[in-house]
């Protein structure tokens, strides 16, 4: 038997082993730090947004007891189902009734601080529940923006004292404002809603998807499956790659110069917005689509061709279904980018003040990021919280889209 | 390099090529076929007749053009940019490279099985049913079911998979996948089946099953098999063609090629001088 030590017993070997383990530990620790850092940043973002944004889903409201049974509004309950029910209630004297009721219970000074649109909220309550007209009820109605900011601790000392007084009597409070999700833009932070912008964004995204997805997928299929590999396809490929890197405002200029020149009447419309964003999204879909198509094993194509499938059948029966998860992922990434895009929409006029939700693809609209941008520009402090709330809505929209992408990917993913 | 080789291939006279003993007219015949990839010549002036009755084996060192020539027989080379075929290849006396030839129809008549099993990532049933469906071979579900069962039975796979036809074809073992691919080729009722080293990715037991299967299919289809294993060629084939550097050096009865080759290069290859 020889006396030489086994190779794994020598000092040099042990030292190398220790070094290797140490470097492995270092690498692990660094990786963990990177992950913790990004998770931390994300958590901070979400927490601050939620803290700021929670207030945006609330507003200052006065509790106004109204006795409809005594006041007898002169209105036929049938009329409440009509489209112009609010005007009918106005003619029947609802604003005056609200004002008088407020004066009786809260006093003249507080009644003056009821928002000028408060009676509309009362009208909506009545339309939602016509039985109100026969009884006594306490309505929570929005205050003026001055009282709202006094409640927040800003403004005149006199008004702040009044706010404190009303709060002490239980007549003034910040309540959850479900209407924020149903109304559109307004000049008064107490009366704004996000639905107008949300609907505008949805309509715009729908147009974008409808244009960018088929065009992008067909272009990707053509370039990968049919186009001869020559200088021309190379030039097209480079152009598409560059298109994906063009700053978004350039697309806005293009939309302004081309689409609005062709359709001058559709300024601010989701149709034009969607077309503009589709230009931006399409190259992303083409690039991700080509990668997904390239990843389909050639053996699958050979197998299909060898039993007599035509090239089109190979593409639509085999290549496309296998590439679909990748294409969908790319599409959602492109769409998410388009959803958050502000600059091109500003260029084509989707920054207008639009007080009613759009009722179609051609009516004036704004979009979530633009709305956020517009509100963040307001001086009134009430808009700060509303802006955060709008950001939360935008983030939720994005999360839903990403969730959909993950679902679709898992649903269509095939193993081979 | 390929082209500088002196043309010493023993071309059998026409009469012998068409195999007078069998009295058969060839299913496929190639005349002076050369295949090029761009400027590079991969197959040089090959003429051969392929009979329905036999399994024909192509042997030769790797890179000698066996796969290239095989793929010329059902025009799979069309999908490779820059590939070009010279000469004539006839299927039942009809030139498959003439203009107006329907490639889709040709490939339904001349099926192919590849080196690596490539089932579609779909159910076992769909793998088989796909071909008959696109060619309109079945009227209704019952007929399609019958074709699927018949094809799987012929490929010797029915007993193993009949209870899980809805499972993915890619979940089968390698040997089963390859038999699934054979069943897929059979399902469209081809006349010729081309196999490019169908066992090279399989273990010995799966290989034995495929060889058995090839023997059962013989006679019903003209089968051409490329193999790098001379034992395999000897076991499954009745006719063998030896390729070297793009040329077909010798073609004849398998027993003759292995026991009594006429060409020095064939003998060298068979005795393992190179490979
Ligand atoms: N797609 C292709 N493009 C260019 N050259 C090829 C291609 N396929 C094969 N070749 C070349 O053609 C020759 C024959 O190849 P192949 O037919 O695959 O040989 P074998 O199947 O006998 O091993 C080889 O030199 C190979 O490099
Ligand atoms: Mg080969």
């Amino acid at each position: 038997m020889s006396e030489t030590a086994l190779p794994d017993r020598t000092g040099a070997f042990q030292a190398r082993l220790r070094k290797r383990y140490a470097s492995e530990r270092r690498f692990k620790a660094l990786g963990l730090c990177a992950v913790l850092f990004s998770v931390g940043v994300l958590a901070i973002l979400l927490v601050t947004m939620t803290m700021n944004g929670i207030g945006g889903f609330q507003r200052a409201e006065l509790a106004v007891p109204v006795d409809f049974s005594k006041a007898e509004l002169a209105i036929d309950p049938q009329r409440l189902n009509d489209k112009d029910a609010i005007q009918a209630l106005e003619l029947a004297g609802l604003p005056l009734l609200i004002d008088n009721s407020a004066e009786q219970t809260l006093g003249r000074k507080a009644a003056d601080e009821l928002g000028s649109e408060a009676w509309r909220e009362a009208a909506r309550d009545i339309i939602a529940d016509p039985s109100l007209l026969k009884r006594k009820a306490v309505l929570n109605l929005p205050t003026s923006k001055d009282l709202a900011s006094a409640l927040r601790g800003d403004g005149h000392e006199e008004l702040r004292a009044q706010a404190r007084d009303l709060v002490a009597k239980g007549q003034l409070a910040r309540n959850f404002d479900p209407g924020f999700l149903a109304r559109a833009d307004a000049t008064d932070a107490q009366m704004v809603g996000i639905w107008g912008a949300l609907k505008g964004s949805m309509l715009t995204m729908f147009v974008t998807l409808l244009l960018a997805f088929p065009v992008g997928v067909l272009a990707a299929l053509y370039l990968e499956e049919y186009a001869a590999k020559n200088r021309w396809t190379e030039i097209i490929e480079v152009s598409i790659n560059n298109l994906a890197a063009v700053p978004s405002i350039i697309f806005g200029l293009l939309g302004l110069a081309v689409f609005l020149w062709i359709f001058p009447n559709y300024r601010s419309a989701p149709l034009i917005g969607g077309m503009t964003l589709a230009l931006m999204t399409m190259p992303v879909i083409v690039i991700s689509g080509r990668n997904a198509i390239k990843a389909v094993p050639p053996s699958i194509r050979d197998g299909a061709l060898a039993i007599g499938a035509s090239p089109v059948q190979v593409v639509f029966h085999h290549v496309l279904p296998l590439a679909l998860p990748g294409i969908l992922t790319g599409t959602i990434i492109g769409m998410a980018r388009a959803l958050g895009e502000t600059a091109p929409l500003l260029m084509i006029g989707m920054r207008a003040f639009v007080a009613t939700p759009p009722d179609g693809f051609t009516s004036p609209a704004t979009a979530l990021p633009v709305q956020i941008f517009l509100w963040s520009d307001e001086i009134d402090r009430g808009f700060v919280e509303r802006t955060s709330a709008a950001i939360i809505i935008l983030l939720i929209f994005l999360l839903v889209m990403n969730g959909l992408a993950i679902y679709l990917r898992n649903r269509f993913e095939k193993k081979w | 390099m390929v082209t500088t080789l002196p043309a010493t291939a023993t071309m059998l006279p026409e009469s012998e090529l068409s195999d007078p003993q069998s009295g058969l007219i060839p299913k496929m015949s190639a005349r002076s076929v050369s295949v090029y990839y761009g400027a590079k010549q991969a197959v040089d002036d090959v003429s051969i007749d392929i009979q329905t009755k036999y399994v024909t084996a192509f042997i030769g060192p790797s890179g000698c053009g066996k796969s290239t020539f095989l793929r010329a027989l059902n025009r799979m080379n069309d999908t490779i940019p820059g590939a070009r075929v010279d000469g004539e290849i006839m299927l039942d006396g009809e030139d498959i490279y003439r203009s107006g030839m329907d490639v889709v129809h040709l490939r339904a008549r001349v099926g192919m099985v590849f080196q690596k099993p490539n089932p579609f990532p779909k159910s076992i049933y769909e793998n088989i049913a796909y071909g008959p469906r696109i060619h309109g071979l079945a009227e209704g579900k019952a007929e399609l079911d019958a074709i699927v069962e018949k094809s799987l039975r012929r490929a010797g796979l029915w007993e193993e998979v009949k209870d899980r036809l809805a499972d993915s074809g890619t979940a089968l073992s390698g040997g089963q996948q390859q038999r699934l691919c054979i069943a897929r080729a059979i399902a469209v009722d081809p006349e010729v089946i081309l196999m490019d080293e169908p066992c090279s990715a399989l273990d010995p037991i799966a290989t034995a099953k495929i060889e058995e299967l090839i023997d059962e299919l013989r006679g019903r289809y003209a089968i051409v098999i490329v193999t790098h294993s001379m034992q395999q060629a000897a076991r499954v084939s009745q006719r063998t063609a030896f390729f070297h550097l793009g040329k077909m050096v010798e073609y004849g009865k398998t027993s003759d090629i292995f026991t009594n080759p006429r060409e020095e290069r064939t003998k060298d290859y068979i005795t393992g001088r190179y490979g």
Side-chain angles (χ1 to χ4, degrees):
Chain A
M1 277 285 135
S2 89
E3 291 291 291
T4 51
L6 288 166
D8 59 346
R9 302 276 161 76
T10 63
F13 182 88
Q14 293 293 344
R16 266 203 310 280
L17 197 65
R18 268 198 304 279
K19 247 175 96 181
R20 210 176 69 209
Y21 285 159
S23 85
E24 216 155 279
R25 271 196 302 276
R26 264 199 311 279
F27 178 73
K28 253 195 192 158
L30 272 177
L32 195 64
C33 285
V35 170
L36 286 180
F37 178 73
S38 28
V39 169
V41 170
L42 191 69
I44 290 171
L45 174 80
L46 286 180
V47 167
T48 40
M49 274 300 132
T50 329
M51 304 259 278
N52 290 338
I54 290 288
F57 291 100
Q58 296 174 334
R59 67 176 170 189
E61 288 180 336
L62 282 166
V64 182
V66 187
D67 191 350
F68 291 104
S69 59
K70 228 162 57 193
E72 277 300 339
L73 283 180
I75 185 159
D76 174 7
Q78 290 300 318
R79 289 275 284 135
L80 292 181
N81 298 326
D82 292 352
K83 264 200 140 166
D84 58 348
I86 292 187
Q87 281 92 311
L89 283 164
E90 184 178 14
L91 287 177
L94 184 65
L96 197 64
L97 172 64
I98 299 292
D99 193 46
N100 288 340
S101 309
E103 187 174 358
Q104 269 168 36
T105 46
L106 307 175
R108 182 67 251 160
K109 257 174 73 185
D112 284 342
E113 292 304 334
L114 210 51
S116 56
E117 301 279 279
W119 68 268
R120 281 185 194 274
E121 299 285 305
R124 278 189 205 110
D125 288 348
I126 293 171
I127 292 166
D129 179 11
S131 73
L132 274 180
L133 284 176
K134 297 191 187 64
R135 57 186 164 90
K136 211 171 150 169
V138 180
L139 300 178
N140 287 318
L141 300 175
T143 68
S144 70
K145 59 181 172 202
D146 292 338
L147 189 59
S149 64
L151 179 61
R152 221 176 285 119
D154 297 334
H156 281 300
E157 175 49 38
E158 194 188 339
L159 209 52
R160 293 217 300 268
Q162 188 191 2
R164 278 194 298 274
D165 186 36
L166 285 167
V167 171
K169 280 193 272 180
Q171 286 165 331
L172 176 64
R174 292 181 60 77
N175 295 331
F176 176 62
D177 173 24
F180 180 65
L181 298 174
R183 293 185 305 257
D185 202 3
T187 46
D188 180 353
Q190 287 278 79
M191 297 305 295
V192 294
I194 197 65
W195 175 239
L198 184 59
K199 192 173 175 194
S201 266
M202 290 200 238
L203 292 173
T204 309
M205 286 291 102
F206 186 74
V207 173
T208 303
L209 184 65
L210 217 61
L211 289 175
F213 185 70
V215 175
V217 171
L218 286 179
L221 278 177
Y222 182 82
L223 286 174
E224 275 308 310
E225 298 287 321
Y226 291 101
K229 302 272 173 280
N230 56 25
R231 269 239 332 264
W232 287 112
T233 32
E234 235 166 75
I235 291 172
I236 291 175
E237 191 175 336
V238 171
S239 311
I240 289 177
N241 290 350
N242 284 338
L243 212 54
V246 167
S248 58
I249 196 151
I250 310 286
F251 288 102
L253 281 172
L254 191 72
L256 179 67
V258 178
F259 297 146
L260 279 183
W261 177 65
I262 301 173
F263 307 106
N265 296 332
Y266 293 159
R267 178 168 285 272
S268 309
L271 179 68
I272 303 293
M275 282 159 72
T276 308
L277 292 180
L279 286 181
M280 217 183 80
T281 311
M282 199 194 61
V284 179
I285 298 181
V286 174
I287 291 170
S288 64
R290 290 186 66 178
N291 287 333
I293 291 164
K294 258 191 216 130
V296 174
S299 64
I300 299 290
R301 291 186 182 86
D302 283 347
L305 284 172
I307 52 171
S310 67
V312 173
Q313 285 170 332
V314 172
V315 166
F316 283 97
H317 296 166
H318 300 280
V319 176
L320 196 54
L322 290 177
L324 205 55
I327 297 178
L328 287 176
T329 310
T331 304
I332 300 278
I333 289 172
M335 294 287 290
R337 197 185 135 202
L339 176 65
E341 209 46 80
T342 323
L345 299 183
L346 295 181
M347 299 303 297
I348 57 150
M350 285 186 83
R351 60 169 305 165
F353 175 78
V354 184
T356 49
D359 51 12
F361 292 105
T362 52
S363 52
T366 184
L368 278 173
V370 183
Q371 188 73 85
I372 290 167
F373 169 73
L374 291 175
W375 284 355
S376 68
D377 230 17
E378 294 277 347
I379 300 158
D380 183 356
R381 276 247 318 204
F383 274 104
V384 175
E385 289 175 329
R386 296 297 201 182
T387 307
S388 302
I391 290 173
I392 289 180
I393 299 287
L394 179 62
L395 287 178
I396 290 176
F397 196 161
L398 273 171
L399 282 180
V400 168
M401 265 172 68
N402 282 330
L404 191 70
I406 292 169
Y407 169 77
L408 287 174
R409 198 175 54 217
N410 292 343
R411 172 97 175 54
F412 289 113
E413 197 145 58
K414 293 237 171 89
K415 302 269 180 293
W416 65 81
Chain B
M1 26 168 203
V2 173
T3 39
T4 53
L5 204 81
T8 51
T10 316
M11 291 312 310
L12 299 175
E14 287 286 307
S15 56
E16 230 176 292
L17 259 178
S18 49
D19 212 322
Q21 301 107 303
S22 67
L24 284 173
I25 43 159
K27 186 76 201 170
M28 294 194 85
S29 53
R31 289 290 171 273
S32 316
V33 170
S34 299
V35 185
Y36 304 82
Y37 292 113
K40 185 183 155 109
Q41 185 167 18
V43 172
D44 185 9
D45 194 26
V46 170
S47 299
I48 189 171
D49 280 353
I50 289 158
Q51 311 284 1
T52 291
K53 225 173 158 184
Y54 303 129
V55 174
T56 306
F58 291 174
I59 59 171
S62 79
C64 68
K66 308 178 297 286
S67 299
T68 302
F69 182 65
L70 192 75
R71 292 165 63 90
L73 296 178
N74 69 344
R75 294 187 59 171
M76 282 298 283
N77 286 331
D78 289 13
T79 59
I80 299 171
R84 183 166 59 83
V85 178
D86 276 357
E88 248 182 6
I89 299 179
M90 315 285 249
L91 172 63
D92 284 339
E94 204 185 358
D95 186 0
I96 64 171
Y97 280 92
R98 76 184 152 77
S99 64
M101 180 73 201
D102 180 23
V103 183
V104 164
H105 186 54
L106 168 71
R107 295 204 189 115
R109 292 174 66 190
V110 184
M112 189 161 204
V113 175
F114 298 83
Q115 187 165 356
K116 200 170 147 270
N118 58 348
F120 302 136
K122 301 176 192 265
S123 72
I124 294 173
Y125 184 93
E126 272 307 310
N127 262 282
I128 311 293
Y130 180 70
R133 196 177 286 142
I134 60 172
H135 293 297
L137 297 184
E139 300 253 337
K141 175 98 171 88
E143 252 182 72
L144 197 57
D145 286 352
I147 291 181
V148 170
E149 178 172 346
K150 189 183 79 182
S151 310
L152 284 171
R153 274 191 195 285
R154 277 205 190 147
L157 198 57
W158 176 251
E159 291 303 324
E160 289 159 61
V161 302
K162 64 179 177 199
D163 298 322
R164 47 182 181 134
L165 291 177
D167 288 7
S168 174
T170 51
L172 296 171
S173 74
Q176 288 174 323
Q177 287 189 17
Q178 196 60 300
R179 278 181 283 150
L180 183 66
C181 292
I182 294 174
R184 182 175 73 185
I186 291 173
V188 292
D189 213 9
E191 296 153 41
V192 183
I193 301 177
L194 311 173
M195 301 186 183
D196 192 352
E197 304 198 20
C199 302
S200 65
L202 304 182
D203 62 80
I205 292 171
T207 300
K209 279 198 180 146
I210 302 272
E211 287 180 6
E212 230 170 80
L213 172 60
I214 291 171
D215 208 46
E216 281 163 26
L217 296 176
R218 171 164 65 94
R220 205 188 289 272
Y221 312 96
I223 295 177
V224 183
I225 177 172
V226 170
T227 173
H228 59 245
S229 145
M230 282 174 285
Q231 290 86 337
Q232 183 168 66
R235 281 193 300 264
V236 302
S237 73
Q238 290 72 48
R239 293 289 178 272
T240 295
F242 171 60
F243 285 75
H244 186 228
L245 296 178
K247 291 190 180 292
M248 191 178 75
V249 177
E250 191 168 346
Y251 176 46
K253 284 188 185 157
T254 299
S255 50
D256 289 350
I257 296 272
F258 281 97
T259 56
N260 193 16
R262 264 167 299 171
E263 284 292 321
E264 203 58 35
R265 277 178 289 159
T266 317
K267 197 187 286 171
D268 287 349
Y269 180 68
I270 288 174
T271 52
R273 199 76 55 83
Y274 54 70

